[in-house]
Amino acid sequence: MLRHVTTLPYARLLAVALFLGVLFATFELSGLRDHFSLAYLHDSFLENKLSGLLIFVLLFSLGNLIQIPGWIFLAAAVLALGRVSGGVVTYFAASVSCALTFLSIRLVGGDALRQLKSRIAIRLLAQLDARPIRSIVVLRMLFQTVPALNYALAMSGVGFRQYMIATLLGLPLPIALYCLFFDFIAGLLHLA
């Protein structure tokens, strides 16, 4: 029985890796990955704002699971909608994406990181436990929607409510800064 308990977190981590691998392979083999381009996202917005928004949120959410950088989505939104509307749409899509990633990875991986008995994991989780919202806000400001961060937080045992509050508080500043940056670059290149 003891052997089963100590291998469970590693089995969960392996299950998450397999889940992500199958998801990635499905996107590669189906050709869906081709839709994760700046041009496709930009054109989706221009064709129809409502369907473009739905496609954007869906692709952002799926892209976050398969390691597509969030800046591609933000740049497309800023170029198609402008820095303010693009920023608002990206904030909404990023929040939905983080929620879906958290729920998906938690479903498969549970709190596997919490069950690890390494000193590093115990120390990092103690920091997260002491100030979960503050810690996640800082992590969001530094790493935004980086998938690995979402995976780790999902398997850390932190509650969904705390995760989402901190995500909603931590994303606006970096998204606003990126919006200004992409708008500036678009102006320099005469893309807007």
Side-chain angles (χ1 to χ4, degrees):
M1 181 71 176
L2 180 62
R3 182 180 203 180
H4 174 69
V5 170
T6 58
T7 60
L8 184 61
Y10 298 106
R12 290 257 172 148
L13 291 172
L14 180 60
V16 168
L18 288 172
F19 169 71
L20 295 173
V22 167
L23 190 62
F24 183 78
T26 301
F27 277 89
E28 283 293 326
L29 297 173
S30 69
L32 286 174
R33 190 165 171 91
D34 297 337
H35 296 299
F36 290 92
S37 69
L38 187 59
Y40 179 81
L41 292 166
H42 178 267
D43 293 346
S44 293
F45 276 125
L46 294 180
E47 287 174 21
N48 183 320
K49 299 276 193 247
L50 182 58
S51 66
L53 175 63
L54 295 174
I55 290 169
F56 183 75
V57 171
L58 178 66
L59 289 179
F60 197 121
S61 297
L62 295 172
N64 204 354
L65 275 170
I66 61 168
Q67 305 286 328
I68 304 292
W71 68 263
I72 291 172
F73 300 97
L74 179 58
V78 169
L79 290 175
L81 304 172
R83 74 175 168 220
V84 174
S85 295
V88 170
V89 165
T90 300
Y91 176 71
F92 174 73
S95 299
V96 170
S97 172
C98 288
L100 291 176
T101 300
F102 181 94
L103 294 171
S104 300
I105 298 301
R106 175 67 61 92
L107 180 68
V108 176
D111 63 350
L113 294 180
R114 174 115 4 229
Q115 296 175 22
L116 295 175
K117 299 302 175 204
S118 92
R119 275 190 268 172
I120 294 171
I122 291 169
R123 197 171 86 219
L124 290 173
L125 291 172
Q127 293 289 328
L128 184 61
D129 291 342
R131 293 182 181 88
I133 292 177
R134 182 172 136 193
S135 298
I136 297 170
V137 166
V138 170
L139 289 169
R140 284 286 176 226
M141 287 181 173
L142 295 173
F143 301 109
Q144 297 85 45
T145 62
V146 169
L149 174 62
N150 293 330
Y151 306 158
L153 290 171
M155 293 185 290
S156 72
V158 69
F160 180 73
R161 182 175 177 273
Q162 293 170 316
Y163 172 83
M164 282 311 299
I165 289 169
T167 295
L168 294 171
L169 293 173
L171 285 177
L173 179 62
I175 287 174
L177 293 175
Y178 276 118
C179 284
L180 292 172
F181 173 74
F182 286 123
D183 189 53
F184 175 75
I185 296 297
L188 282 178
L189 300 175
H190 306 291
L191 297 173

